[in-house]
Amino acid sequence: MKQTKLVHITDIEKDKAVLEEAGRIIRAGGLVVFPTETVYGIGANGLNADACRSIYAAKGRPSDNPLILTVPDQQGAEKVAACITPTAKKLMDRFWPGPLTIIFPRQPQVPDAATGGLDTVALRCPDHDICRAFLRCADVPVAGPSANLSTRPSPTTAEEVMHDMDGRVDMVIDGGPCCIGVESTIVECDGEDSVTILRPGGITMDMLKEVVTYVRLDTNLVTGQGAPKAPGMKYRHYAPSAPMTVVVGTEAAVTAKLKDLYEDALADGKTVGFLVSQEVGAHFPKDDMYIWGRRGDKAALANQLYTGLLSFDTDKVDLILAEGVDGDGLGMAIMNRMKKAAGGNVIIL
């Protein structure tokens, strides 16, 4: 078991020596957890096959699930992408740094261990000052999937990271809570002025349509069928310890359905946790309840989703009843994660 060093970064210049130490760990083949605006990532040298494989081992992640490589700027992408199309360049100019991952053809130095055996590489430039300072100190593309055990909810605080990764990584950089709370959008550039969303995230379909003419959803997202091409598409993800049911609809309809499910669970002798808005939560007992914000505030739900799910690891329950949202805008990413966390057990009213 590794001796994990937890470091708190509050000032990039004052803490430069710590970031340089983290960079040396990466270049030496070690593992460093780092903050981003979306979730915390577990970092390794993205050009070192053995280091990439150590990520899979630390997470218990299947080795055919591709990793995202993080870079501090567009120049970092040029070092590993075989080509950057005009469409990709438009997206980089608009959304980097930011929660957008773009699929590129890879250069030969990118190992299969980083791409799940694909001939493409997923690249992202996070919108987080501490993260980009760390990446500059590493001076290599850093593979950075979410810093959680495979299938578990992603961490948005260093405390949540330590729950899963203490003893599995060399260092954890605490840069404070993540501001978005769900992973990046992943897109593939299909051709001139056309992209396919492989995984929804903080950059919405409408935002993409402001930059490119044609935006579509990957077949796997729409039907659940077809070959996955990006992280988070193939396996069960984001799951809390207890089974979960998600209900989507009007406030009145959701409240009524959750009451029915709650009464059925109590009749079966089960304990129940609620992941709901303030408005819906007002109708239920306050024990084992996580309020993510006001109803309709999708940004609040995205920010609090994983923390809410992880809270039920501490407050043990037999069943989680959750309130979902419609699929417009950021709701697409939220419901993508909630559906996976619930194993598809989503009720649309």
Side-chain angles (χ1 to χ4, degrees):
M1 180 175 287
K2 294 177 181 286
Q3 184 67 41
T4 298
K5 182 176 182 179
L6 175 63
V7 297
H8 301 268
I9 302 293
T10 56
D11 186 296
I12 291 172
E13 289 306 315
K14 289 182 180 178
D15 297 321
K16 187 67 176 292
V18 176
L19 292 170
E20 289 175 343
E21 178 187 359
R24 289 193 295 272
I25 292 172
I26 291 293
R27 292 193 298 277
L31 297 177
V32 175
V33 173
F34 59 97
T36 76
E37 79 278 32
T38 57
V39 300
Y40 273 75
I42 177 171
N45 184 344
L47 302 183
N48 180 325
D50 288 337
C52 290
R53 281 190 283 267
S54 69
I55 287 181
Y56 292 114
K59 286 176 60 71
R61 179 187 178 106
S63 60
D64 62 343
N65 200 1
L67 302 174
I68 291 173
L69 302 192
T70 50
V71 293
D73 47 41
Q74 291 193 24
Q75 289 69 39
E78 293 169 359
K79 297 177 181 178
V80 286
C83 70
I84 297 175
T85 64
T87 300
K89 184 64 167 64
K90 284 199 300 184
L91 294 172
M92 294 162 73
D93 289 343
R94 176 67 176 271
F95 297 117
W96 280 19
L100 181 70
T101 296
I102 305 173
I103 306 295
F104 297 91
R106 63 168 167 155
Q107 292 189 25
Q109 69 266 31
V110 181
D112 286 347
T115 68
L118 300 175
D119 59 4
T120 54
V121 61
L123 299 178
R124 172 165 118 79
C125 175
D127 187 12
H128 195 289
D129 291 343
I130 293 172
C131 172
R132 292 200 308 280
F134 156 67
L135 294 174
R136 286 190 288 270
C137 289
D139 199 33
V140 292
V142 174
S146 55
N148 56 293
L149 295 176
S150 186
T151 78
R152 300 275 293 127
S154 302
T156 57
T157 67
E159 181 182 4
E160 292 167 0
V161 169
M162 292 297 286
H163 181 274
D164 278 6
M165 289 294 139
D166 190 13
R168 294 173 176 264
V169 300
D170 298 287
M171 178 183 283
V172 173
I173 299 173
D174 183 354
C178 302
C179 63
I180 294 180
V182 294
E183 296 82 355
S184 62
T185 303
I186 302 177
V187 299
E188 182 177 53
C189 299
D190 307 314
E192 186 175 350
D193 217 27
S194 176
V195 302
T196 297
I197 298 174
L198 304 183
R199 181 182 73 184
I203 302 299
T204 67
M205 177 177 281
D206 286 341
M207 294 166 71
L208 290 168
K209 286 180 177 178
E210 293 175 1
V211 179
V212 296
T213 304
Y214 305 103
V215 181
R216 71 180 188 93
L217 295 176
D218 183 76
T219 301
N220 183 269
L221 281 177
V222 177
T223 66
Q225 306 298 314
K229 307 176 206 175
M233 296 178 70
K234 187 171 184 180
Y235 298 97
R236 182 170 177 259
H237 276 70
Y238 323 117
S241 297
M244 182 167 76
T245 297
V246 181
V247 181
V248 182
T250 66
E251 179 182 341
V254 168
T255 300
K257 185 62 179 179
L258 289 180
K259 281 184 176 180
D260 290 342
L261 295 171
Y262 179 50
E263 290 171 0
D264 289 345
L266 292 181
D268 290 338
K270 295 179 179 179
T271 57
V272 177
F274 290 92
L275 179 67
V276 290
S277 66
Q278 292 179 17
E279 292 85 346
V280 170
H283 299 279
F284 296 94
K286 301 307 178 191
D287 294 340
D288 298 323
M289 179 175 291
Y290 193 95
I291 300 292
W292 45 258
R294 296 197 64 83
R295 181 173 170 83
D297 188 346
K298 294 176 182 176
L301 175 53
N303 183 263
Q304 293 298 309
L305 175 60
Y306 294 142
T307 297
L309 293 178
L310 289 169
S311 74
F312 297 112
D313 286 355
T314 302
D315 300 328
K316 299 290 186 181
V317 296
D318 299 316
L319 173 67
I320 299 170
L321 297 178
E323 174 187 2
V325 294
D326 65 69
D328 293 339
L330 187 57
M332 183 187 295
I334 293 168
M335 290 309 301
N336 171 265
R337 307 313 193 271
M338 294 190 89
K339 183 177 180 180
K340 287 178 176 290
N345 192 16
V346 177
I347 300 172
I348 309 292
L349 300 175

